[in-house]
Amino acid sequence: MFSLKQNSWFIRKVVIWRAVASIAWSVLLLPVTTAVFVLLSRFSLFHPIQWISDCTSLLTASSTIFSLVVLCGVVLITGFFNLEFYTLVPSIPCSRMALLGTVLHPRQCVHSLVYCTMGMLVMWCASVTIGGRYSTLGTPCRQSESGEVVTCLNEYHLFLLLAGAFMGYSHSFLGVVQNMYYVSFQPIQQYKYPRFKGCLPMVVKCSVIQALYSARNFAALYFFFGYVPKTWISSTLNLQIDSSLQPLDSLTGLLDFSLLYHLSISGAFLYLTWYLTVLLFRIYVTEFLALQDLALLSQHSLSRRLEVFNLSQPGGHPHNWNAISGECLCLLSELTQRLVAHQDAVASNGRVKSQSASSDTRSASSSSSVVSGTEDIAETPRLSVPLRTPGSVFKSSVGGANRVLTAPFTPDVDSPFSSPAIRRLVGQQDPHSPWSGTVQSPHIMRRGPKLWSASTESQSNGSPPGSPATVPSPPAASQKPSFLAQWLQNRREQVKSFLAKRVLIMYLFNKLPEASSQALFADSQAHIWALQGLSHLVAASFSEDQFGVVQTTLPNILSCLVVLLEAVDRHFKLPHASSKPVRTLCSMGDSTYKTLRFALRAALKTAIYKITTTFGEHLNAVNISTEHRKRLQQFLEFKE
Amino acid sequence: YGLLDEITNSAEEGMSLTHCNHAAFAVRRFSLWASSFHGSLFPHLTLSSDEMVAEFSQMLDWSDSALRSFAWHPHTDKFAVALLDDSIKIYKSNSSPTPTLKHRCQRSVCALQWKPLCGSALAVACQSCLLIWHVDPASLSTRPSSGCAQVLSHPGHSPITSIAWSPTGSLLVSASPVDTSMMVWDVAAESAVPLQRVGGGGVTYLSWSPDGSRLLAATPSALFRVWETRMWTCERWPCLKGSCQSACWSPDGGCLLLSMQGERVIYALTFSDLTGINNTYSSPVTAFFLMKNHLKQLFCPPFFSGSSFVLRAGDSQADNHPSVIAVFKTRSSPVFELLPCGFVMGEAGAEPRFMQFHPHFQHGALLTVCWSDGRISHVPFYFSSAGLLGGDSPQQALASNTTNPSSNKLYTEQIS
């Protein structure tokens, strides 16, 4: 779980510092939210002056300061969990069983436990701050018959604490279901402050709504099962139950307006603390990334484009362009393969077989191996992948490789050098990661370490739109089935068909519609950026490429795009692939990943159009196959 | 006030909650008072939804106009027209069927725009939402089902009076006069990023510069903003007098022409820091109406190197005079210039309501005018000399104002 050891340089040097900055800001925001909470919790309409003076004295009281320290601890832990759990590729459980597996995963259990504790801590702070009848767990009370003073259980305090634990668990649970830790990218770039300002109303609204839902659910739960913790606590701590007060797990006890109000605002405060931390983390961590940078700046900056189209001195090789186009094409053709493999699997079986997993790692990893432990390790290096630092860290890592151009870089000119980070994006197949063997052909792996070496011939020759077609074949054992294996296979099929008839099993193991489709495109944001960057560069090369650097790879690029388009088109003909997901109105969980396939299709078509409209009739001179030309002709006539 | 009503109603039922009841009333009073105050600050907020669309639509006299909106496809000979009955028709240059688009959400269509770098997608600004039609150009159906349309909506963001696609087709921006934030849509993901600036009280008109680096956002008050689209920060331009009515960009995105309400002057803003745009188009074509002593519309086609400038003068009913659209040449280098060029006459009694240049006319310039009697006419301009400089004069089809409401003959005899 805590796998910070084996990650790459930008986790160490970039993401951690961004996370620290975001946590620092969350801590700085705490006094503000606490003050608002205090104002709201002591609200009285008819005594405004007393209200204000109460609140100011409370805000400077030592108990509040102590609460703030506790809350800081909570924020720190939340920030740590954000850093530990965040992902750029959401895990999409393809069946209910897989979802169940995710929820019961040990890592997730630890998460839930910690969040329950944090919820109780925050609620304890809240109850101390609200004061009055909520402040302590034990209250002195007078027993009815003997009249002596004993310590009784304060049920209001217990109620709030349990509510905190409940909200903590539901936050953790919803975090899995809604992929709370999925970090998506906005379609536009903004500075951090305006972005935070723009998101703040949404976050406040979400936390209030979520708090109201949780308060309702918790009240219902407490009504039915509230006596269990109550009797347990009172017996273990030897506290009496005050019989003169109305018990809270009754209808009249729960219909207490001020109790529900305090429950709701404390819940809103709790959720707001967490959501703000998540929001700040998202904002900080999604700044300035390599592929995004390529996509945006290939569009905006002439000087950086010229840098791409330049030849190396001496030697006259277009290293920059070869590197960039090679990586983008690699990425895209890998997606094509994945789609084709999925379609084959579907075509052969009616639905995805688990056997296809060997050639289709991504979908498999999200569908089947969510429960397995390897996924966790595998995921962490992946997430970090497209991040890139501007400035010194970046240069130092690049300097060795790009000696020719090391001269004085301004941060603006280094777009060609964003390629090392792009490499890393593809360089997911670094040999340490458990993915490497399966994600791509060994061919790429072999090439991997060489990417930055001086041997450019192999790069330009091996730059691979079509080359990685060698999908690793299933294990050799299955190819030569012995009798025993055959028998086992038959048995398994029988067990399967027997189980398939049971309703519950069916319910749990049935594929969720759309899920496999979502899982296939789960990491497509990178592909979209690659498409945008590549198409902008190619289109710009029409007028800016002095040396004809792009012309050499144009047929490759075009055929790669058309093949991908065909694969995507075929994919959308599968059942459920083109159905739109229902939109959730207000939740912190980001559901962008559900529509990534549509975004990818639109980006792909736009990319092809961008190239065809720029080149126009000149495309006829490009050497590509006839059916691809036919397809491109459709684009030239705007018939797509 | 639905929520407050509910609170008051539910509060009336409970005996012990009377002070909550009072509080709800107080809050309600306060919000009523606040909204009326807001309305006096921004008079347009007191208009009804339809009035607001009519006020801020680029189509003049929108409410009684037979044509509600018009849009050329940016790359092909295809245009879409929104009609009074809220249907949209799509005409193509060859004799293929003309699809009619209808959708139950498609009411009070205020603006249309085709997605650039795409053959099929058409964005429609409606009263309650934004519709994205995907009309397959290869299909022969004349009534695409409403399943072909994506519905994009955001609470508080209606009626939508202006939309603008980014020139790369990746983003769509929509604006509503009642919403202080404009929405930047990622259409495929159906998600929006609100960009809020409170001053001005809403956004009425959007125009994206042809190079995609800037976006003009006009507000109902005397203020407009120019956003730069890399980090989405904005410059504020408090206008001299009145709100910004219409605007157009020069093809290189370096010059912005603006017309203000109640003024007969065109303002030109030049932006010097062009980001990597090759400045070959030296002279854009501009067109606008002069409407009751103020300029109402300005148009300027992209990718075009001729120069003309259109102006409608006078009130035709009063003078018993055909309406006139004046054409001016413009030249943007070395300094921005407007040179009078000629006039396009309308038929007696017909007023121009909307104009747009064909964005991709190879032979010169093609000005499309929607008239008040429901006709659409195409006025071609040919340039006698082939030079790119602004000196060439259009051989105008002034006297023979060729009108062809049916679009099978898109172009007049002069072309064929």
Side-chain angles (χ1 to χ4, degrees), chain A residues 4-21:
Chain A
L4 279 176
K5 302 164 245 25
Q6 33 84 37
N7 34 41
S8 41
W9 57 275
F10 35 75
I11 285 256
R12 265 182 282 116
K13 297 200 168 159
V14 184
V15 178
I16 287 199
W17 292 113
R18 291 182 179 189
V20 166

mmCIF file with all atom_site columns, all heavy atoms in Angstrom, chain A residues 4-21:
data_model
loop_
_atom_site.group_PDB
_atom_site.id
_atom_site.type_symbol
_atom_site.label_atom_id
_atom_site.label_alt_id
_atom_site.label_comp_id
_atom_site.label_asym_id
_atom_site.label_entity_id
_atom_site.label_seq_id
_atom_site.pdbx_PDB_ins_code
_atom_site.Cartn_x
_atom_site.Cartn_y
_atom_site.Cartn_z
_atom_site.occupancy
_atom_site.B_iso_or_equiv
_atom_site.pdbx_formal_charge
_atom_site.auth_seq_id
_atom_site.auth_comp_id
_atom_site.auth_asym_id
_atom_site.auth_atom_id
_atom_site.pdbx_PDB_model_num
ATOM 1   N N   . LEU A 1 4  ? 5.795  4.247  -1.806  1.00 0.00 ? 4  LEU A N   1
ATOM 2   C CA  . LEU A 1 4  ? 6.485  5.415  -2.323  1.00 0.00 ? 4  LEU A CA  1
ATOM 3   C C   . LEU A 1 4  ? 7.913  5.109  -2.718  1.00 0.00 ? 4  LEU A C   1
ATOM 4   O O   . LEU A 1 4  ? 8.631  5.977  -3.172  1.00 0.00 ? 4  LEU A O   1
ATOM 5   C CB  . LEU A 1 4  ? 6.493  6.515  -1.255  1.00 0.00 ? 4  LEU A CB  1
ATOM 6   C CG  . LEU A 1 4  ? 5.198  7.316  -1.169  1.00 0.00 ? 4  LEU A CG  1
ATOM 7   C CD1 . LEU A 1 4  ? 5.277  8.297  -0.044  1.00 0.00 ? 4  LEU A CD1 1
ATOM 8   C CD2 . LEU A 1 4  ? 4.936  8.025  -2.476  1.00 0.00 ? 4  LEU A CD2 1
ATOM 9   N N   . LYS A 1 5  ? 8.341  3.875  -2.462  1.00 0.00 ? 5  LYS A N   1
ATOM 10  C CA  . LYS A 1 5  ? 9.755  3.588  -2.707  1.00 0.00 ? 5  LYS A CA  1
ATOM 11  C C   . LYS A 1 5  ? 10.075 3.575  -4.192  1.00 0.00 ? 5  LYS A C   1
ATOM 12  O O   . LYS A 1 5  ? 10.976 4.258  -4.657  1.00 0.00 ? 5  LYS A O   1
ATOM 13  C CB  . LYS A 1 5  ? 10.105 2.223  -2.106  1.00 0.00 ? 5  LYS A CB  1
ATOM 14  C CG  . LYS A 1 5  ? 9.826  2.131  -0.626  1.00 0.00 ? 5  LYS A CG  1
ATOM 15  C CD  . LYS A 1 5  ? 9.821  0.688  -0.197  1.00 0.00 ? 5  LYS A CD  1
ATOM 16  C CE  . LYS A 1 5  ? 8.532  0.113  0.304   1.00 0.00 ? 5  LYS A CE  1
ATOM 17  N NZ  . LYS A 1 5  ? 7.257  0.464  0.061   1.00 0.00 ? 5  LYS A NZ  1
ATOM 18  N N   . GLN A 1 6  ? 9.292  2.769  -4.928  1.00 0.00 ? 6  GLN A N   1
ATOM 19  C CA  . GLN A 1 6  ? 9.738  2.456  -6.270  1.00 0.00 ? 6  GLN A CA  1
ATOM 20  C C   . GLN A 1 6  ? 9.065  3.352  -7.307  1.00 0.00 ? 6  GLN A C   1
ATOM 21  O O   . GLN A 1 6  ? 8.472  2.874  -8.230  1.00 0.00 ? 6  GLN A O   1
ATOM 22  C CB  . GLN A 1 6  ? 9.452  0.985  -6.578  1.00 0.00 ? 6  GLN A CB  1
ATOM 23  C CG  . GLN A 1 6  ? 8.208  0.401  -5.944  1.00 0.00 ? 6  GLN A CG  1
ATOM 24  C CD  . GLN A 1 6  ? 6.974  0.664  -6.731  1.00 0.00 ? 6  GLN A CD  1
ATOM 25  O OE1 . GLN A 1 6  ? 7.018  0.644  -7.956  1.00 0.00 ? 6  GLN A OE1 1
ATOM 26  N NE2 . GLN A 1 6  ? 5.881  0.902  -6.068  1.00 0.00 ? 6  GLN A NE2 1
ATOM 27  N N   . ASN A 1 7  ? 9.081  4.626  -7.088  1.00 0.00 ? 7  ASN A N   1
ATOM 28  C CA  . ASN A 1 7  ? 8.490  5.402  -8.163  1.00 0.00 ? 7  ASN A CA  1
ATOM 29  C C   . ASN A 1 7  ? 9.509  6.335  -8.766  1.00 0.00 ? 7  ASN A C   1
ATOM 30  O O   . ASN A 1 7  ? 10.604 6.512  -8.263  1.00 0.00 ? 7  ASN A O   1
ATOM 31  C CB  . ASN A 1 7  ? 7.272  6.155  -7.678  1.00 0.00 ? 7  ASN A CB  1
ATOM 32  C CG  . ASN A 1 7  ? 7.451  6.577  -6.268  1.00 0.00 ? 7  ASN A CG  1
ATOM 33  O OD1 . ASN A 1 7  ? 8.533  6.997  -5.940  1.00 0.00 ? 7  ASN A OD1 1
ATOM 34  N ND2 . ASN A 1 7  ? 6.466  6.443  -5.442  1.00 0.00 ? 7  ASN A ND2 1
ATOM 35  N N   . SER A 1 8  ? 9.083  6.951  -9.820  1.00 0.00 ? 8  SER A N   1
ATOM 36  C CA  . SER A 1 8  ? 10.053 7.615  -10.664 1.00 0.00 ? 8  SER A CA  1
ATOM 37  C C   . SER A 1 8  ? 10.304 9.040  -10.180 1.00 0.00 ? 8  SER A C   1
ATOM 38  O O   . SER A 1 8  ? 9.768  9.485  -9.178  1.00 0.00 ? 8  SER A O   1
ATOM 39  C CB  . SER A 1 8  ? 9.516  7.634  -12.062 1.00 0.00 ? 8  SER A CB  1
ATOM 40  O OG  . SER A 1 8  ? 8.158  7.935  -11.996 1.00 0.00 ? 8  SER A OG  1
ATOM 41  N N   . TRP A 1 9  ? 11.108 9.724  -10.949 1.00 0.00 ? 9  TRP A N   1
ATOM 42  C CA  . TRP A 1 9  ? 11.610 10.998 -10.446 1.00 0.00 ? 9  TRP A CA  1
ATOM 43  C C   . TRP A 1 9  ? 10.534 12.034 -10.223 1.00 0.00 ? 9  TRP A C   1
ATOM 44  O O   . TRP A 1 9  ? 10.596 12.825 -9.304  1.00 0.00 ? 9  TRP A O   1
ATOM 45  C CB  . TRP A 1 9  ? 12.659 11.535 -11.408 1.00 0.00 ? 9  TRP A CB  1
ATOM 46  C CG  . TRP A 1 9  ? 12.135 11.706 -12.802 1.00 0.00 ? 9  TRP A CG  1
ATOM 47  C CD1 . TRP A 1 9  ? 12.075 10.761 -13.753 1.00 0.00 ? 9  TRP A CD1 1
ATOM 48  C CD2 . TRP A 1 9  ? 11.610 12.881 -13.375 1.00 0.00 ? 9  TRP A CD2 1
ATOM 49  N NE1 . TRP A 1 9  ? 11.542 11.251 -14.892 1.00 0.00 ? 9  TRP A NE1 1
ATOM 50  C CE2 . TRP A 1 9  ? 11.253 12.565 -14.694 1.00 0.00 ? 9  TRP A CE2 1
ATOM 51  C CE3 . TRP A 1 9  ? 11.405 14.183 -12.917 1.00 0.00 ? 9  TRP A CE3 1
ATOM 52  C CZ2 . TRP A 1 9  ? 10.698 13.492 -15.558 1.00 0.00 ? 9  TRP A CZ2 1
ATOM 53  C CZ3 . TRP A 1 9  ? 10.848 15.103 -13.786 1.00 0.00 ? 9  TRP A CZ3 1
ATOM 54  C CH2 . TRP A 1 9  ? 10.497 14.753 -15.079 1.00 0.00 ? 9  TRP A CH2 1
ATOM 55  N N   . PHE A 1 10 ? 9.481  12.002 -11.046 1.00 0.00 ? 10 PHE A N   1
ATOM 56  C CA  . PHE A 1 10 ? 8.571  13.137 -10.813 1.00 0.00 ? 10 PHE A CA  1
ATOM 57  C C   . PHE A 1 10 ? 7.641  12.914 -9.655  1.00 0.00 ? 10 PHE A C   1
ATOM 58  O O   . PHE A 1 10 ? 7.104  13.857 -9.117  1.00 0.00 ? 10 PHE A O   1
ATOM 59  C CB  . PHE A 1 10 ? 7.781  13.529 -12.045 1.00 0.00 ? 10 PHE A CB  1
ATOM 60  C CG  . PHE A 1 10 ? 7.397  12.419 -12.896 1.00 0.00 ? 10 PHE A CG  1
ATOM 61  C CD1 . PHE A 1 10 ? 6.391  11.590 -12.512 1.00 0.00 ? 10 PHE A CD1 1
ATOM 62  C CD2 . PHE A 1 10 ? 8.065  12.209 -14.072 1.00 0.00 ? 10 PHE A CD2 1
ATOM 63  C CE1 . PHE A 1 10 ? 6.044  10.559 -13.310 1.00 0.00 ? 10 PHE A CE1 1
ATOM 64  C CE2 . PHE A 1 10 ? 7.705  11.170 -14.869 1.00 0.00 ? 10 PHE A CE2 1
ATOM 65  C CZ  . PHE A 1 10 ? 6.706  10.339 -14.489 1.00 0.00 ? 10 PHE A CZ  1
ATOM 66  N N   . ILE A 1 11 ? 7.457  11.665 -9.213  1.00 0.00 ? 11 ILE A N   1
ATOM 67  C CA  . ILE A 1 11 ? 6.736  11.500 -7.953  1.00 0.00 ? 11 ILE A CA  1
ATOM 68  C C   . ILE A 1 11 ? 7.587  12.108 -6.859  1.00 0.00 ? 11 ILE A C   1
ATOM 69  O O   . ILE A 1 11 ? 7.107  12.882 -6.028  1.00 0.00 ? 11 ILE A O   1
ATOM 70  C CB  . ILE A 1 11 ? 6.515  10.013 -7.649  1.00 0.00 ? 11 ILE A CB  1
ATOM 71  C CG1 . ILE A 1 11 ? 5.430  9.463  -8.536  1.00 0.00 ? 11 ILE A CG1 1
ATOM 72  C CG2 . ILE A 1 11 ? 6.166  9.826  -6.202  1.00 0.00 ? 11 ILE A CG2 1
ATOM 73  C CD1 . ILE A 1 11 ? 4.129  9.267  -7.866  1.00 0.00 ? 11 ILE A CD1 1
ATOM 74  N N   . ARG A 1 12 ? 8.870  11.773 -6.868  1.00 0.00 ? 12 ARG A N   1
ATOM 75  C CA  . ARG A 1 12 ? 9.747  12.246 -5.805  1.00 0.00 ? 12 ARG A CA  1
ATOM 76  C C   . ARG A 1 12 ? 9.876  13.763 -5.847  1.00 0.00 ? 12 ARG A C   1
ATOM 77  O O   . ARG A 1 12 ? 9.808  14.432 -4.831  1.00 0.00 ? 12 ARG A O   1
ATOM 78  C CB  . ARG A 1 12 ? 11.119 11.606 -5.963  1.00 0.00 ? 12 ARG A CB  1
ATOM 79  C CG  . ARG A 1 12 ? 11.301 10.364 -5.129  1.00 0.00 ? 12 ARG A CG  1
ATOM 80  C CD  . ARG A 1 12 ? 12.698 9.811  -5.287  1.00 0.00 ? 12 ARG A CD  1
ATOM 81  N NE  . ARG A 1 12 ? 12.866 9.085  -6.528  1.00 0.00 ? 12 ARG A NE  1
ATOM 82  C CZ  . ARG A 1 12 ? 13.688 9.446  -7.495  1.00 0.00 ? 12 ARG A CZ  1
ATOM 83  N NH1 . ARG A 1 12 ? 14.389 10.553 -7.385  1.00 0.00 ? 12 ARG A NH1 1
ATOM 84  N NH2 . ARG A 1 12 ? 13.793 8.722  -8.600  1.00 0.00 ? 12 ARG A NH2 1
ATOM 85  N N   . LYS A 1 13 ? 10.074 14.280 -7.058  1.00 0.00 ? 13 LYS A N   1
ATOM 86  C CA  . LYS A 1 13 ? 10.472 15.682 -7.107  1.00 0.00 ? 13 LYS A CA  1
ATOM 87  C C   . LYS A 1 13 ? 9.325  16.634 -7.434  1.00 0.00 ? 13 LYS A C   1
ATOM 88  O O   . LYS A 1 13 ? 9.437  17.821 -7.203  1.00 0.00 ? 13 LYS A O   1
ATOM 89  C CB  . LYS A 1 13 ? 11.562 15.853 -8.162  1.00 0.00 ? 13 LYS A CB  1
ATOM 90  C CG  . LYS A 1 13 ? 12.776 15.059 -7.784  1.00 0.00 ? 13 LYS A CG  1
ATOM 91  C CD  . LYS A 1 13 ? 13.996 15.544 -8.493  1.00 0.00 ? 13 LYS A CD  1
ATOM 92  C CE  . LYS A 1 13 ? 15.214 14.931 -7.868  1.00 0.00 ? 13 LYS A CE  1
ATOM 93  N NZ  . LYS A 1 13 ? 16.350 14.952 -8.760  1.00 0.00 ? 13 LYS A NZ  1
ATOM 94  N N   . VAL A 1 14 ? 8.269  16.128 -8.001  1.00 0.00 ? 14 VAL A N   1
ATOM 95  C CA  . VAL A 1 14 ? 7.207  17.035 -8.406  1.00 0.00 ? 14 VAL A CA  1
ATOM 96  C C   . VAL A 1 14 ? 5.946  16.798 -7.615  1.00 0.00 ? 14 VAL A C   1
ATOM 97  O O   . VAL A 1 14 ? 5.453  17.678 -6.913  1.00 0.00 ? 14 VAL A O   1
ATOM 98  C CB  . VAL A 1 14 ? 6.905  16.861 -9.903  1.00 0.00 ? 14 VAL A CB  1
ATOM 99  C CG1 . VAL A 1 14 ? 5.891  17.872 -10.327 1.00 0.00 ? 14 VAL A CG1 1
ATOM 100 C CG2 . VAL A 1 14 ? 8.155  16.964 -10.702 1.00 0.00 ? 14 VAL A CG2 1
ATOM 101 N N   . VAL A 1 15 ? 5.430  15.595 -7.720  1.00 0.00 ? 15 VAL A N   1
ATOM 102 C CA  . VAL A 1 15 ? 4.104  15.363 -7.170  1.00 0.00 ? 15 VAL A CA  1
ATOM 103 C C   . VAL A 1 15 ? 4.099  15.573 -5.669  1.00 0.00 ? 15 VAL A C   1
ATOM 104 O O   . VAL A 1 15 ? 3.188  16.181 -5.125  1.00 0.00 ? 15 VAL A O   1
ATOM 105 C CB  . VAL A 1 15 ? 3.639  13.942 -7.517  1.00 0.00 ? 15 VAL A CB  1
ATOM 106 C CG1 . VAL A 1 15 ? 2.292  13.690 -6.921  1.00 0.00 ? 15 VAL A CG1 1
ATOM 107 C CG2 . VAL A 1 15 ? 3.587  13.792 -9.005  1.00 0.00 ? 15 VAL A CG2 1
ATOM 108 N N   . ILE A 1 16 ? 5.159  15.110 -5.012  1.00 0.00 ? 16 ILE A N   1
ATOM 109 C CA  . ILE A 1 16 ? 5.181  15.252 -3.559  1.00 0.00 ? 16 ILE A CA  1
ATOM 110 C C   . ILE A 1 16 ? 5.140  16.716 -3.166  1.00 0.00 ? 16 ILE A C   1
ATOM 111 O O   . ILE A 1 16 ? 4.361  17.115 -2.295  1.00 0.00 ? 16 ILE A O   1
ATOM 112 C CB  . ILE A 1 16 ? 6.429  14.569 -2.981  1.00 0.00 ? 16 ILE A CB  1
ATOM 113 C CG1 . ILE A 1 16 ? 6.219  13.069 -3.072  1.00 0.00 ? 16 ILE A CG1 1
ATOM 114 C CG2 . ILE A 1 16 ? 6.665  14.988 -1.551  1.00 0.00 ? 16 ILE A CG2 1
ATOM 115 C CD1 . ILE A 1 16 ? 7.076  12.274 -2.192  1.00 0.00 ? 16 ILE A CD1 1
ATOM 116 N N   . TRP A 1 17 ? 5.918  17.528 -3.872  1.00 0.00 ? 17 TRP A N   1
ATOM 117 C CA  . TRP A 1 17 ? 5.924  18.940 -3.490  1.00 0.00 ? 17 TRP A CA  1
ATOM 118 C C   . TRP A 1 17 ? 4.613  19.615 -3.805  1.00 0.00 ? 17 TRP A C   1
ATOM 119 O O   . TRP A 1 17 ? 4.142  20.463 -3.050  1.00 0.00 ? 17 TRP A O   1
ATOM 120 C CB  . TRP A 1 17 ? 7.093  19.656 -4.152  1.00 0.00 ? 17 TRP A CB  1
ATOM 121 C CG  . TRP A 1 17 ? 8.360  19.165 -3.566  1.00 0.00 ? 17 TRP A CG  1
ATOM 122 C CD1 . TRP A 1 17 ? 9.327  18.444 -4.188  1.00 0.00 ? 17 TRP A CD1 1
ATOM 123 C CD2 . TRP A 1 17 ? 8.779  19.287 -2.203  1.00 0.00 ? 17 TRP A CD2 1
ATOM 124 N NE1 . TRP A 1 17 ? 10.314 18.112 -3.320  1.00 0.00 ? 17 TRP A NE1 1
ATOM 125 C CE2 . TRP A 1 17 ? 10.008 18.624 -2.075  1.00 0.00 ? 17 TRP A CE2 1
ATOM 126 C CE3 . TRP A 1 17 ? 8.214  19.884 -1.077  1.00 0.00 ? 17 TRP A CE3 1
ATOM 127 C CZ2 . TRP A 1 17 ? 10.701 18.547 -0.892  1.00 0.00 ? 17 TRP A CZ2 1
ATOM 128 C CZ3 . TRP A 1 17 ? 8.907  19.809 0.117   1.00 0.00 ? 17 TRP A CZ3 1
ATOM 129 C CH2 . TRP A 1 17 ? 10.139 19.150 0.208   1.00 0.00 ? 17 TRP A CH2 1
ATOM 130 N N   . ARG A 1 18 ? 4.008  19.185 -4.899  1.00 0.00 ? 18 ARG A N   1
ATOM 131 C CA  . ARG A 1 18 ? 2.688  19.747 -5.196  1.00 0.00 ? 18 ARG A CA  1
ATOM 132 C C   . ARG A 1 18 ? 1.691  19.343 -4.125  1.00 0.00 ? 18 ARG A C   1
ATOM 133 O O   . ARG A 1 18 ? 0.875  20.152 -3.678  1.00 0.00 ? 18 ARG A O   1
ATOM 134 C CB  . ARG A 1 18 ? 2.227  19.254 -6.555  1.00 0.00 ? 18 ARG A CB  1
ATOM 135 C CG  . ARG A 1 18 ? 3.029  19.840 -7.677  1.00 0.00 ? 18 ARG A CG  1
ATOM 136 C CD  . ARG A 1 18 ? 2.499  19.359 -8.983  1.00 0.00 ? 18 ARG A CD  1
ATOM 137 N NE  . ARG A 1 18 ? 3.246  19.941 -10.080 1.00 0.00 ? 18 ARG A NE  1
ATOM 138 C CZ  . ARG A 1 18 ? 2.899  19.828 -11.335 1.00 0.00 ? 18 ARG A CZ  1
ATOM 139 N NH1 . ARG A 1 18 ? 1.819  19.159 -11.655 1.00 0.00 ? 18 ARG A NH1 1
ATOM 140 N NH2 . ARG A 1 18 ? 3.611  20.379 -12.287 1.00 0.00 ? 18 ARG A NH2 1
ATOM 141 N N   . ALA A 1 19 ? 1.774  18.078 -3.717  1.00 0.00 ? 19 ALA A N   1
ATOM 142 C CA  . ALA A 1 19 ? 0.847  17.613 -2.686  1.00 0.00 ? 19 ALA A CA  1
ATOM 143 C C   . ALA A 1 19 ? 1.084  18.377 -1.397  1.00 0.00 ? 19 ALA A C   1
ATOM 144 O O   . ALA A 1 19 ? 0.128  18.783 -0.724  1.00 0.00 ? 19 ALA A O   1
ATOM 145 C CB  . ALA A 1 19 ? 1.030  16.124 -2.470  1.00 0.00 ? 19 ALA A CB  1
ATOM 146 N N   . VAL A 1 20 ? 2.355  18.609 -1.071  1.00 0.00 ? 20 VAL A N   1
ATOM 147 C CA  . VAL A 1 20 ? 2.656  19.346 0.162   1.00 0.00 ? 20 VAL A CA  1
ATOM 148 C C   . VAL A 1 20 ? 2.085  20.754 0.084   1.00 0.00 ? 20 VAL A C   1
ATOM 149 O O   . VAL A 1 20 ? 1.458  21.245 1.030   1.00 0.00 ? 20 VAL A O   1
ATOM 150 C CB  . VAL A 1 20 ? 4.180  19.386 0.389   1.00 0.00 ? 20 VAL A CB  1
ATOM 151 C CG1 . VAL A 1 20 ? 4.527  20.402 1.447   1.00 0.00 ? 20 VAL A CG1 1
ATOM 152 C CG2 . VAL A 1 20 ? 4.672  18.020 0.803   1.00 0.00 ? 20 VAL A CG2 1
ATOM 153 N N   . ALA A 1 21 ? 2.237  21.383 -1.077  1.00 0.00 ? 21 ALA A N   1
ATOM 154 C CA  . ALA A 1 21 ? 1.681  22.728 -1.221  1.00 0.00 ? 21 ALA A CA  1
ATOM 155 C C   . ALA A 1 21 ? 0.177  22.708 -1.050  1.00 0.00 ? 21 ALA A C   1
ATOM 156 O O   . ALA A 1 21 ? -0.401 23.579 -0.380  1.00 0.00 ? 21 ALA A O   1
ATOM 157 C CB  . ALA A 1 21 ? 2.055  23.298 -2.582  1.00 0.00 ? 21 ALA A CB  1
#
